[in-house]
Amino acid sequence: MKIRNKGEMEKNELNMTSMIDIVFLLLVFFVMTFKIVEMEGDFSVRMPLGESSGVPDPTDLPLKLRLTSDADGRLASMSLNDISLGTDFPQLQANVISLIGNTAPVEGEDGPEIEIDSDYNLRYENVIDAITAVSGYKDGNQVVKLIEKIKFAKPRR
Amino acid sequence: MRVKSKKPDLAQGDLTPMIDMTFQLIAFFMVLINFAQTEANDRVVLPSSKLVKPPEVALEFPIILHVAQDGEIVLGGDEFTVETLRIGLQREMSVIKAEGKTANDANVVIRAHQDTAMGDVQEVIRVAQEQNLINFALRVKEDNR
């Protein structure tokens, strides 16, 4: 006697294997190439040739920041207009504020200027820390600007 | 008469949630992937600063100089030293001049490693100044701490 199985219906199943293979390959590709983007910004410096070595105008002398390094390139000492500050960046900032008079924002070209004179082998990171300290500070989310005109003295060999 | 089906039992798992999750992961990574990181260089770890913010408008005519820890300079994929950088900068300047612009319109973006000697960075600036470039941007990481 022939018995028909009524419960079994013909299933037309799609073969998913190849799709899953490709999908996993894509996933692995994106996971391997994923890199968290770090936000970057700039300190703008306008430095025409000769300005740092030219004859200084006695009426408009820039502040002079001297940075010295030890043999390993670490910051050894700082002095602002011959005032020794050790390696204390908040102290540097406080001195800049007292020297330029006020913490009020200054307008571009007319603001005070600072000349950074660093030892040749001083690590760049320390100079950026010094630039950060003299450029301004954060008051909540607002940035209060101090000195915008920055220039570098001739490299010391 | 009872007839037993001879077909073996196939324990088929439901793949739908797994595929859903996988597609979501792919979508996540696709959205976050940044192909525009051509400015970055593996040899350079930037110093960080609390004051900088990502620029709202991109710099015009940027000349990006990567300064590695040993003082070697990478410009447009080519490696230079302070002595040979002039050649690379002249090449960039000819491109800028071909677009009817001058050196004053160009911006030199210096991406120096945090442990590079400052003197090396100053030498790079000096060479760029000799090419009449005056606008410099010292690139640093944003420090949100």
Side-chain angles (χ1 to χ4, degrees):
Chain A
M1 195 177 87
K2 201 178 176 185
I3 299 168
R4 196 174 269 173
N5 192 351
K6 285 179 187 171
E8 197 178 315
M9 286 180 70
E10 262 190 45
K11 277 191 178 174
N12 216 352
E13 272 193 49
L14 208 66
N15 189 2
M16 304 278 269
T17 320
S18 48
M19 189 195 76
I20 292 170
D21 283 353
I22 298 291
V23 165
F24 273 112
L25 274 175
L26 279 172
L27 188 62
V28 168
F29 168 76
F30 284 117
V31 170
M32 300 294 274
T33 54
F34 181 67
K35 196 179 175 188
I36 296 168
V37 181
E38 285 171 332
M39 291 299 175
E40 295 175 1
D42 298 319
F43 281 113
S44 294
V45 182
R46 194 178 155 84
M47 271 201 328
L49 184 64
E51 200 168 86
S52 60
S53 57
V55 180
D57 178 1
T59 58
D60 188 24
L61 280 174
L63 303 176
K64 283 195 185 296
L65 176 63
R66 175 84 178 96
L67 305 171
T68 55
S69 72
D70 60 16
D72 298 326
R74 284 190 295 261
L75 184 65
S77 69
M78 287 189 293
S79 61
L80 180 67
N81 283 0
D82 296 327
I83 306 163
S84 185
L85 301 165
T87 58
D88 190 4
F89 288 108
Q91 183 64 41
L92 168 64
Q93 192 168 67
N95 275 46
V96 166
I97 291 169
S98 66
L99 279 171
I100 66 171
N102 205 334
T103 58
V106 286
E107 288 299 324
E109 295 299 307
D110 299 318
E113 188 176 28
I114 193 161
E115 184 181 79
I116 297 175
D117 182 7
S118 72
D119 279 354
Y120 193 93
N121 68 336
L122 180 68
R123 285 167 55 198
Y124 179 61
E125 188 181 26
N126 294 310
V127 179
I128 291 295
D129 287 341
I131 292 174
T132 303
V134 301
S135 295
Y137 58 90
K138 269 197 163 178
D139 185 12
N141 281 332
Q142 293 289 317
V143 174
V144 179
K145 287 181 178 173
L146 295 171
I147 300 176
E148 288 185 279
K149 288 173 76 179
I150 294 165
K151 65 179 182 181
F152 297 110
K154 277 187 171 177
R156 289 169 177 262
R157 273 283 181 191
Chain B
M1 196 176 85
R2 203 178 166 191
V3 180
K4 237 184 198 175
S5 171
K6 284 177 184 172
K7 269 195 171 180
D9 272 340
L10 274 176
Q12 272 196 322
D14 188 5
L15 292 177
T16 319
M18 190 196 73
I19 293 169
D20 282 354
M21 280 307 299
T22 315
F23 273 116
Q24 286 214 15
L25 281 170
I26 288 178
F28 171 76
F29 285 113
M30 274 180 80
V31 169
L32 288 187
I33 198 167
N34 184 15
F35 286 114
Q37 269 216 328
T38 46
E39 282 188 7
N41 188 298
D42 289 341
R43 291 171 66 190
V44 174
V45 178
L46 294 178
S48 57
S49 169
K50 286 178 182 172
L51 285 188
V52 294
K53 284 189 175 139
E56 288 166 12
V57 185
L59 290 173
E60 282 189 340
F61 306 105
I63 299 171
I64 296 166
L65 300 174
H66 303 275
V67 186
Q69 193 174 355
D70 55 2
E72 200 167 62
I73 304 143
V74 180
L75 168 61
D78 298 323
E79 291 177 355
F80 296 93
T81 60
V82 171
E83 289 77 28
T84 59
L85 178 62
R86 187 176 49 87
I87 300 160
L89 285 176
Q90 281 172 346
R91 192 182 64 194
E92 295 289 322
M93 288 305 299
S94 60
V95 175
I96 287 166
K97 279 176 185 160
E99 292 183 36
K101 300 289 178 184
T102 63
N104 290 6
D105 300 310
N107 288 289
V108 181
V109 179
I110 296 175
R111 299 183 86 260
H113 192 285
Q114 58 184 5
D115 295 333
T116 310
M118 184 57 200
D120 290 337
V121 179
Q122 284 176 287
E123 292 287 356
V124 169
I125 292 173
R126 181 185 56 78
V127 175
Q129 283 176 324
E130 285 170 4
Q131 301 300 315
N132 299 321
L133 292 158
I134 57 169
N135 299 316
F136 298 90
L138 306 177
R139 186 144 294 178
V140 293
K141 270 188 302 195
E142 188 185 10
D143 185 359
N144 290 319
R145 281 174 292 158

